[in-house]
Structure formats: structure tokens, C-alpha cells
Amino acid sequence: MQRRPPTPGRTEPRRTGTRTTRTALVALTTVACTIGAVALAAGPADAATRRTLPDSVPTWATSTNDTGTVDASTDVEGEVYLPLQDQHGAEALARAVSTPGNARYRKPLSPKAWIAEYAPTKADADAVTGYLRAQGLTITAVPASHEFVVFRGPASVVGSVLGTTLHSYRHAGHTLVAPASAPSLPSSIAGLVSGVSVDQGRLLTHPELVQQGETPATSTPAHTLRQQATGPTGIQAQCSAYDGQRTATVPAAYGKTTVDTFACGYVPKQIRSAYGVDTLHAHGIRGEGQTVAIIDAYASPTIVSDTNTYSAQNGEPGLTSATFAQRVPSPSQYTDQALCQQPSGWQGEETLDVQSVHAVAPAAKILYVGGTNCGGGLDVAMSKVLDKGLAHLVSNSYGDVGENVPLSSIRGQENLHIQAAGEGIGLYFSSGDNGDESAALGSAQPDFPASSPWVTAVGGTSLGIGANGRKTFETGWGDVLDQIVSSDRGDVYAAPLPGNLVGGGAGGGQSTLFDQPAYQKGVVPSSLANGKRVSPDLAALADPYTGFAIGISPITDDSSLATGDFVNETYGGTSLASPLTAALMAIVQQSTHTRLGFANPTLYATYRATPKAFNDVTSPASPIALAYTSATSGKDYLVTLDHDTSLTTAKGYDDVTGLGSVSFSGLAQVARR
């Protein structure tokens, strides 16, 4: 049984013999809290009547990084998290409905029933919101499940309400707001909540996508690889429509002077063929009756027209009212654009997600839900799906920088994952694009939320698709580039092979927070786990140099959301792997008349019984390299595959591709358990 992150000082609600008794107690508490909120309107209570909320200060908020008190008028977002009525019961339910052999297997609760049994009460949420409003803060969202309250206000007011001061800190190349000391609340209110988050580290949550010729984003938008050429070279590699279509002559590398060139970008027909659903597609199994939700920040103003133009280009069906819907905020509701990489920074993500799901499962309904920002807005978007049961599967192509988020925020998000599992909704998260994150954090750790034991983390592969539509090679995604430069000795590499330019790699590895879940025991090598949760669980195509072609009209002005001309681009990243996996699951669910829900316990049980159900991704017998020429700079590179920081592919489970790469035949065996 997995253990939640430690909760020092947390007060659990006391369970009574009947819900009626607790309801009566809550009603009395609510009256008292409401009166208290009015009494406290002039300012916070004396420190003696307050209770500190632990685990709400990020680890990077140190005196070394401190740049001073925040301007009093700075607008700050925060979240207050409320504990579930029965934390252990909610976890037990999530585990039972997801575990083969359990009497409750695949018998989830409806959202309404789950909320009634496990969610915080409306009375508790009303007491919290009443207090915050009385202190001068604005409530921007409270989900139907009442699991959190999102608020905003000036830094001076937020600090006063929470009994702390807000400072600016240098972290991850940004100046971010965070509390200088542990927040506190009046005891009457603190007893109703499990934690609070008022640090802007949440706003570093970023899309997990990478384009050719770019480094992966961490907390800033991806940027073009910078390596000054010493002179023109003659490689001029042209992209290939399929693996092996074109080759290029390069300086000697790995015993060769001729290598295949990078992919122009695979199209829907090639993706369906490579993942074994082309025959099903021809027989009408295209995802009918399945809903795949996609969650990102903001919204593309041209998603429907772009996808339909792209579909027409490739002979695919366009989006219709039966296959696409969206629930998005108006642009006037967008917040924190600068830290969240702007709407333009998320437009490519939404486009990749929608078009890749539509490529694999063109008859499935896609529901796009956009957040007002990349912090609390994403939680609100998730709750919209879960509280109404709006989808069978949810693809989430975003992540934090490692697990470098306060525990209070992690617990709040984890409760959403537990809710999804209890309702039979499968959550799929990108594992990350920066390998083990040691470059950004100084130590190895996986990205959250993918590291949560209640979600399916999707890692990445590099994939060759031949002229016949079948796989020619597949290995772990980890790109290292070496620029080819001109010298008096002819064309040479700028650095010893494989090079010194990191082009991205799948995230994963041993969690710093979560104990090993039961479903991973006996499958994940102890040398990788050391008693902890390890991600990813599965893998799919993520390498941009063997990537997926999309169509997009890029936003040219984030203020007006004006867009430019429609263009074709090639994307990768585990942002591609997650929606591909969710779409393939939709095909599996339709064809087997099964609802998988939280799939991990069944995935690992299937692996124990039939390891060959998964495509084991291992290191190639000899290095695989591709020639790449940047269309913008004209510079030439050799891209060596399967070099992913400290993470490595191996026989059996590994921390780059998990159990292995997805396929219809393998996942169909999972569905039939």
C-alpha cells in the first residue's frame, strides 16, 4: 500500500459513527466560523489564536535567494486545500476499483456519489471562502467537489491574512513570490483546511513539448540551439517522409559516414499503422463512444480551423460538434501570462494534443478544457472534468520542474488523482522532457504530477516508421546533438561524439516523495526503486527528430491573440506521447467494451502474467544517429539517440520507457483482464 507524502502537524477530521452526527457538528462549526470571519474582518487574530500550516513554504525560498519584500500591490494567486472527509476510505476505493481480483474491480462511483461520500463539505468550503472574502481577498474558483479554494489579492493583503510576509526569490531563472515564513490561519479556519499554497512556483508548470532544433522548455519557452558555426558545411540534410527515405554524408561517426536523415514529421496514417490500429480503423473502430479530455492552460483561438485544415491536407476527417467541444475561459480571464509562457507558449501544446488524439481516434469526442493560468487554473480545469464525469480518459501534457513544489500543493493535486481513480477516469501525464532534471535542480528527480502513484506516467521513445508504415526501430528518447562545422581538415564535429547539445529526453526516475505502490513491487528493479515510486509506466513516440507533423496558425500577439498564416511544424516531447497513449486507450476501450479507469494496477498485473504484451524498449545494438539541418539557421548536426541523462533503457522495466512502448495488441490484453 503506497504511503502519501508525510503530513506533519495535519489534523484529520474525526470520524463519528454516523454522517448525521458529523453534519450536525459541521453546521455548528460553520456558524461559529462565519461569526469569526466577520469579527476578524479588520485584521488577523492574535498569534495565540492562530495555527501554522506546515509544508507551505517552497524549499527554494531561502535567505540566499531572497531579493526582498514584494511590492504591496503585487497581484498574487493562492489556493487553500481542504481535506477529504475520509482520506483512507477514498484511497481504499481508488485502489479497489483499479485492482484486478478485487470484488470492486471496475465498479467505480459516480462523481455525485464520490463527492457525497469523500469530498469536503460545502459548509466547510463556505466557511473558508467567507473568511477569505471578509479579509478582502477575491475568490476566483471553488469546484463542485470543494477540494480547494482559489483566491487572489494584493501581496500585502495576502500576507496579512496568512500571518506572513511575501518576498521575492530567485529560482529557476525567474524572480518568484513566496512566503518568507510558514503561513497561518485562525484556529477555527485552520482546522478546516489541510494546507495553503501562495508561491509562484506553481506558475512554472510548463508544456512538455519540443520542436526540432530547440532545447526543451523547463520554466522558460524553448529556444533555438545556440552553437556558433565556424563556416558553412555541405551536409544540408533533407528531411525524410519515412525512415530511410533519404541519407546524408557526415564526418565518420560510429563506423559510418552515411546516416539516415531526420523525419519531416509523421502524419496520422503512419501513426495509426505504427501502433497497430490501421486495420481497426478500416473496420470502423475509431474511438466512437469514448471521450478524451485534454487539459492545458489558456486556449488556441484557431484550434478548430487549424485542425480541419490539417486534416484536409492529410485526407482525414475534420472536427465536428460530435468529435470536439471545449470549455475555455474568455481571454479577459487569463492571468499570470508572463510566468506561464503566454497563450502563445501553450497554443502549440493544445494543437499537438488535439491533432494527435484525432489522428489515432478520429471518431472519439475530444473535450478541451483550458485553465485561466498554469497554476490553480489547471486544478480548476481538472475538477470540471472529474466533478461531472465529462470524460473517460484525460491527457495532461504538462508538468512541474521535478517534484520541487510544496507538499501542501502536491497533496491537494494528489486528491484529484484519487478522485479520478475512484470514479474510473484514467489520468495520463507526460513524464517530462528534461530527463532526470538534475541540470535544473542539481539532483535527480522525476516530474510531478507524473510521479504521482495515482496516475499513468507516459515516457518517450524515438521511433522509425518505414515506407510500409511499420516500425523500423524504437529506442528510448534522449537526443544529444553535435554540430558539424567546417575546418581546415574538412567537415568535423564541434565536440567529441555524441556532442554537447541536449535536445531533450524523457523524464522519469525515483520519486523523492512517494513510497513504492504495491502494483510496482516485483516488477520495478529494486536498484531503481529503493522503496519509492518510479516513473514512467508506459512510453510512446516523443522524439521531435522522429516527430509528429501538426498544422497551426501561430499567435503573433498575446494581447490581441492575433494569429499568423497557417504553417506545418514538427513537434515531439512527452507532450506527444501522452495524448497518443490516451487516444490508443480510447480505441482499446471501444473495441473491448471496457472502461479501464486508473490503469496502473492492471498494467503491472498484465506484465507479471504476460511480459510480451509490452514492447520492451532496449538500447540498440549499435548507436542510431540521424543527420539534421536546421531550416532556420542552416546549421548541420548529428543527432545521437538513446542518451537520456542518468536514465537508461534496459531489458524489462526501465526509467525511460517504463514497462515498454504502447501497442493496441498489448493494451487490449490489459483491458481483458
Side-chain angles (χ1 to χ4, degrees):
M1 181 173 72
Q2 62 259 19
R3 186 187 68 183
R4 292 167 54 76
T7 314
R10 176 173 175 173
T11 301
E12 296 286 353
R14 183 168 60 90
R15 300 292 288 173
T16 62
T18 65
R19 290 175 55 83
T20 303
T21 303
R22 186 180 190 279
T23 301
L25 290 173
V26 168
L28 292 173
T29 303
T30 302
V31 172
C33 290
T34 302
I35 294 172
V38 174
L40 289 165
D46 183 79
T49 69
R50 298 175 71 87
R51 183 186 300 172
T52 297
L53 301 173
D55 305 325
S56 298
V57 179
T59 57
W60 44 263
T62 63
S63 57
T64 302
N65 297 331
D66 196 339
T67 63
T69 305
V70 175
D71 185 271
S73 62
T74 301
D75 185 48
V76 175
E77 177 182 88
E79 277 185 81
V80 174
Y81 305 99
L82 281 72
L84 301 182
Q85 294 184 58
D86 181 2
Q87 183 72 47
H88 297 299
E91 292 181 13
L93 171 72
R95 193 174 299 110
V97 300
S98 308
T99 303
N102 191 288
R104 290 215 58 165
Y105 184 46
R106 293 181 179 167
K107 297 176 183 177
L109 289 182
S110 68
K112 183 177 180 180
W114 190 93
I115 290 172
E117 179 67 21
Y118 299 109
T121 65
K122 183 178 185 299
D124 285 358
D126 287 347
V128 173
T129 57
Y131 170 74
L132 296 176
R133 284 195 181 100
Q135 302 306 307
L137 298 177
T138 300
I139 306 302
T140 58
V142 182
S145 64
H146 314 120
E147 292 178 59
F148 55 87
V149 174
V150 185
F151 64 86
R152 298 193 78 92
S156 59
V157 177
V158 172
S160 177
V161 171
L162 295 177
T164 185
T165 56
L166 300 184
H167 285 210
S168 294
Y169 297 88
R170 292 183 298 270
H171 174 62
H174 294 277
T175 300
L176 304 174
V177 173
S181 59
S184 64
L185 285 169
S187 296
S188 58
I189 299 299
L192 303 177
V193 308
S194 58
V196 63
S197 172
V198 286
D199 77 274
Q200 290 182 331
R202 267 305 295 278
L203 302 181
L204 299 187
T205 299
H206 55 278
E208 308 274 22
L209 80 165
V210 186
Q211 288 182 256
Q212 293 175 345
E214 292 183 337
T215 57
T218 52
S219 57
T220 55
H223 57 277
T224 302
L225 290 165
R226 295 184 176 92
Q227 178 75 17
Q228 183 61 45
T230 57
T233 62
I235 305 303
Q236 295 300 300
Q238 299 182 48
C239 68
S240 294
Y242 55 86
D243 183 44
Q245 181 191 25
R246 294 189 174 94
T247 61
T249 301
V250 298
Y254 312 120
K256 299 178 181 179
T257 56
T258 301
V259 297
D260 293 336
T261 65
F262 67 107
C264 302
Y266 296 130
V267 297
K269 182 169 62 176
Q270 291 173 296
I271 295 294
R272 290 195 298 270
S273 178
Y275 285 108
V277 296
D278 48 344
T279 301
L280 290 168
H281 185 270
H283 287 86
I285 307 296
R286 305 179 183 185
E288 290 94 340
Q290 304 297 313
T291 300
V292 180
I294 293 168
I295 294 175
D296 290 313
Y298 312 124
S300 169
T302 54
I303 187 61
V304 174
S305 60
D306 285 348
T307 301
N308 287 346
T309 299
Y310 170 80
S311 296
Q313 278 183 337
N314 292 288
E316 301 288 330
L319 297 175
T320 67
S321 59
T323 58
F324 185 76
Q326 53 185 341
R327 298 192 178 197
V328 297
S330 66
S332 64
Q333 295 175 300
Y334 293 174
T335 60
D336 304 303
Q337 290 99 313
L339 277 174
C340 286
Q341 302 187 25
Q342 303 286 359
S344 58
W346 285 81
Q347 185 194 19
E349 181 60 71
E350 179 186 348
T351 305
L352 175 64
D353 294 345
V354 170
Q355 292 179 5
S356 58
V357 170
H358 193 56
V360 175
K365 181 176 182 179
I366 297 172
L367 173 65
Y368 176 75
V369 186
T372 55
N373 66 2
C374 62
L378 294 177
D379 292 344
V380 174
M382 179 69 78
S383 286
K384 287 180 180 178
V385 176
L386 302 184
D387 292 350
K388 296 294 184 181
L390 299 179
H392 306 96
L393 305 147
V394 186
S395 178
N396 305 271
S397 292
Y398 54 84
D400 300 315
V401 182
E403 295 175 321
N404 201 29
V405 181
L407 282 175
S408 58
S409 178
I410 284 178
R411 292 191 199 101
Q413 294 177 71
E414 189 190 6
N415 280 345
L416 295 176
H417 307 159
I418 292 168
Q419 179 185 358
E423 294 176 2
I425 298 172
L427 301 184
Y428 296 82
F429 275 89
S430 301
S431 72
D433 297 342
N434 293 280
D436 63 14
E437 293 287 10
S438 58
L441 300 175
S443 61
Q445 56 184 268
D447 286 357
F448 182 82
S451 65
S452 167
W454 299 102
V455 309
T456 300
V458 187
T461 69
S462 301
L463 179 66
I465 303 178
N468 63 358
R470 302 307 177 192
K471 294 181 182 180
T472 55
F473 70 84
E474 187 169 33
T475 191
W477 174 43
D479 293 329
V480 177
L481 285 74
D482 207 341
Q483 189 181 355
I484 301 170
V485 297
S486 178
S487 73
D488 55 7
R489 295 178 286 112
D491 292 345
V492 297
Y493 294 109
L497 291 171
N500 56 4
L501 302 172
V502 177
Q510 180 189 123
S511 174
T512 64
L513 300 174
F514 301 105
D515 285 349
Q516 185 177 51
Y519 57 76
Q520 284 199 322
K521 292 180 179 178
V523 174
V524 177
S526 57
S527 59
L528 293 180
N530 195 28
K532 295 293 184 180
R533 156 76 160 145
V534 184
S535 55
D537 301 300
L538 294 171
L541 173 61
D543 189 341
Y545 298 96
T546 65
F548 181 69
I550 69 161
I552 187 172
S553 301
I555 293 173
T556 56
D557 187 323
D558 281 296
S559 298
S560 66
L561 299 182
T563 60
D565 294 335
F566 177 90
V567 295
N568 290 109
E569 296 180 342
T570 301
Y571 283 6
T574 52
S575 277
L576 172 59
S578 179
L580 286 178
T581 301
L584 191 58
M585 287 294 194
I587 295 289
V588 169
Q589 291 189 161
Q590 182 200 356
S591 64
T592 59
H593 307 287
T594 302
R595 181 167 175 170
L596 286 164
F598 172 47
N600 283 13
T602 313
L603 289 171
Y604 286 85
T606 303
Y607 184 88
R608 288 186 185 92
T610 317
K612 291 185 178 179
F614 300 87
N615 296 323
D616 192 13
V617 180
T618 60
S619 297
S622 57
I624 299 175
L626 303 173
Y628 167 69
T629 297
S630 169
T632 54
S633 70
K635 296 176 183 178
D636 299 316
Y637 301 88
L638 186 77
V639 184
T640 301
L641 312 184
D642 197 39
H643 282 263
D644 186 9
T645 57
S646 66
L647 311 178
T648 57
T649 52
K651 184 175 178 57
Y653 180 94
D654 62 60
D655 50 15
V656 178
T657 66
L659 298 171
S661 66
V662 294
S663 69
F664 171 80
S665 59
L667 295 179
Q669 291 189 53
V670 173
R672 294 188 180 102
R673 284 196 64 86

